[in-house]
Amino acid sequence: MKTYDAFPQPIGGYTVGRTQMDFDYTASDNSKRELTAFVYYPSDSSEGKKTSTYMFPEVYDMFHEQPLITVLKDVFSIDIKTQCYGDLALSGKEKRYPVLFYVCGGGGSPEWGTVLCTDLASMGYVVVSIGHQNSTMYKRKDGRLFNISRGFSDVIMAFSEDPGMVTLAGKMEMRPDDETAIEMCHNVLTLPILAKLTDYSELQAEDVRYVADYLYKLNAGELKSIFEGRLLLDMGMGIVGHSYGGPTTAIICRDDDRFACGIGLDSGAFGLLDSDLKKPFLLLFSEPNYNMNALIGLNNSMETYYYSVDRAAHLDYCDIVFSSVNEQFRGKRDAMEMRNLVTDYTKTFFDHYILQKAGSVETLAYDGVDLVKKTSNQLYNREITNKPISKS
């Protein structure tokens, strides 16, 4: 297996700055939420600085303290060079830059999307990756460490060991017909354990909404920052999540009209049993994950794209595609190829639905990446193009 001492150079032309922000607020369940976030953004120069640290060693050491994904302690290395720089000036090439959110997988860390966030920032997006209390691990700017909570860990383990889920998983087909996939997805989403999983997803979504509120204040100049008047918010924001972060992206699309569209990377549909997302949604997944998401497209009144990616493992959708030191957790695709296709689909999708560029994910061509299904809303497309189109 090829090993890397540095993440790949960003695809876009901007140098990428990264800054960290801490947040404190009281959630709707009266819990005190203490978050952090890394914000990646376009810049014009590295200003002679060294690249930012990837993942704090203190956070990596916390793997020993949590039962959920302790195994990952020996799966990847944090001794890898990033391609972003701390606290640079925001680029002056454009007046305003569109905004995206990235949600890492449950039990992970907000740095795990550094490659994708850096790529998107290098192509002109401001990208926010949040450390969510209870469900992720992180070090705040104030120096305090937050690990996965026992409650979240127990719920994830209970879901994976739930007799009903184990039985359903054994029946999942690689490429089922729609009726089978819809039935399977319904059966998964009606398991009693899903209610507790959904509670954590809803809290993550509330975190995103709070940080989005904060960005609006930064843009309005209510708070001092480099982003004053520089964020392109009237076109809507985008959100992408990996694994457990995927349901959060869908909940945000469903509940917050400030978000124009979303992407799930090898994710599920927790909390979305009867939900119309009302937003375009893209799913990139390793089979048989279609079984876990079939109801999203059935209920969504806007376009939903289901793409299967062969020879890809679950962790290939995050930074571990480059930082892995254990080939058992990697798929068969070349790391650079996997990165290129994830970035390409993500960027093309957001360019189309946020910036209204003509390109479509359906024009992309990667070996072994297949459009399993697309649902489409004719009225929405007519409003975008101002002319009738055929429903696919």
Side-chain angles (χ1 to χ4, degrees):
M1 183 181 70
K2 183 176 180 179
T3 58
Y4 296 83
D5 58 9
F7 289 135
Q9 287 291 330
I11 288 177
Y14 288 100
T15 300
V16 176
R18 188 183 81 173
T19 193
Q20 186 176 1
M21 302 177 182
D22 288 348
F23 303 93
D24 300 86
Y25 79 101
T26 302
S28 59
D29 66 354
N30 293 318
S31 63
K32 302 292 184 181
R33 304 285 285 172
E34 299 175 285
L35 318 173
T36 200
F38 293 98
V39 183
Y40 303 77
Y41 55 91
S43 187
D44 296 324
S45 167
S46 66
E47 301 174 6
K49 295 182 177 181
K50 294 182 178 180
T51 54
S52 299
T53 299
Y54 175 46
M55 187 174 174
F56 297 116
E58 310 95 294
V59 176
Y60 186 69
D61 288 342
M62 287 196 296
F63 275 114
H64 289 305
E65 304 170 13
Q66 60 148 308
L68 181 59
I69 50 175
T70 302
V71 64
L72 291 185
K73 183 70 166 62
D74 299 317
V75 168
F76 75 101
S77 169
I78 61 171
D79 187 21
I80 191 166
K81 179 185 175 184
T82 69
Q83 302 293 345
C84 53
Y85 303 82
D87 298 306
L88 300 179
L90 183 63
S91 173
K93 293 179 182 177
E94 299 290 341
K95 290 183 178 179
R96 296 188 296 165
Y97 294 96
V99 175
L100 306 174
F101 280 76
Y102 174 85
V103 189
C104 72
S109 181
E111 296 98 323
W112 282 17
T114 293
V115 173
L116 179 59
C117 293
T118 300
D119 272 343
L120 293 168
S122 77
M123 294 183 284
Y125 282 94
V126 172
V127 191
V128 183
S129 180
I130 301 174
H132 299 275
Q133 193 170 337
N134 300 317
S135 48
T136 66
M137 51 196 297
Y138 52 92
K139 177 183 176 181
R140 285 180 29 130
K141 192 175 181 180
D142 64 19
R144 289 186 298 141
L145 297 170
F146 287 78
N147 205 346
I148 314 306
S149 71
R150 172 64 67 172
F152 179 76
S153 179
D154 287 348
V155 168
I156 293 292
M157 297 298 290
F159 171 68
S160 65
E161 297 169 358
D162 183 90
M165 185 61 217
V166 172
T167 299
L168 290 170
K171 295 179 179 179
M172 287 185 180
E173 303 173 26
M174 290 294 286
R175 191 66 67 90
D177 59 71
D178 285 345
E179 184 177 351
T180 300
I182 289 168
E183 179 182 7
M184 184 69 68
C185 187
H186 180 273
N187 291 339
V188 170
L189 297 184
T190 52
L191 291 171
I193 190 64
L194 262 294
K196 293 182 178 179
L197 273 176
T198 300
D199 287 343
Y200 285 105
S201 294
E202 293 280 5
L203 275 174
Q204 288 197 159
E206 197 165 341
D207 293 343
V208 172
R209 292 194 293 271
Y210 178 83
V211 177
D213 292 342
Y214 191 88
L215 292 183
Y216 270 75
K217 292 177 181 178
L218 294 182
N219 190 57
E222 296 178 30
L223 301 166
K224 186 72 174 177
S225 81
I226 62 172
F227 301 110
E228 181 177 349
R230 304 298 306 282
L231 302 179
L232 182 62
L233 298 171
D234 53 349
M235 304 293 286
M237 296 176 286
I239 182 167
V240 52
H242 172 232
S243 190
Y244 186 77
T248 300
T249 71
I251 289 170
I252 284 292
C253 286
R254 180 192 68 194
D255 296 343
D256 195 325
D257 287 337
R258 296 175 299 181
F259 287 80
C261 54
I263 297 174
L265 302 176
D266 214 36
S267 58
F270 307 146
L272 302 168
L273 183 63
D274 299 308
S275 295
D276 179 358
L277 303 189
K278 301 170 288 186
K279 310 286 173 58
F281 206 78
L282 168 68
L283 290 141
L284 286 177
F285 55 85
S286 306
E287 295 181 296
N289 206 279
Y290 178 43
N291 300 269
M292 298 285 285
N293 292 280
L295 284 177
I296 291 179
L298 181 70
N299 296 330
N300 192 12
S301 56
M302 300 301 182
E303 294 95 338
T304 304
Y305 302 83
Y306 292 91
Y307 278 94
S308 69
V309 183
D310 72 2
R311 297 173 283 128
H314 182 61
L315 293 175
D316 287 352
Y317 294 86
C318 69
D319 291 342
I320 289 178
V321 72
F322 290 107
S323 60
S324 175
V325 294
N326 188 327
E327 63 183 6
Q328 293 182 353
F329 287 81
R330 274 291 331 278
K332 302 300 182 183
R333 280 186 182 269
D334 173 75
M336 195 69 73
E337 179 191 22
M338 187 68 191
R339 169 277 195 125
N340 289 344
L341 77 85
V342 171
T343 294
D344 206 358
Y345 275 89
T346 302
K347 170 70 159 45
T348 302
F349 184 79
F350 287 139
D351 279 356
H352 180 70
Y353 287 107
I354 295 177
L355 303 180
Q356 298 185 1
K357 293 186 178 181
S360 166
V361 290
E362 292 180 84
T363 66
L364 302 178
Y366 285 86
D367 180 56
V369 180
D370 300 319
L371 180 61
V372 174
K373 184 178 178 65
K374 175 192 174 186
T375 61
S376 179
N377 180 283
Q378 187 174 1
L379 176 61
Y380 175 78
N381 281 291
R382 188 180 299 129
E383 290 172 348
I384 292 293
T385 62
N386 202 30
K387 61 181 180 181
I389 66 166
S390 60
K391 186 174 181 180
S392 57

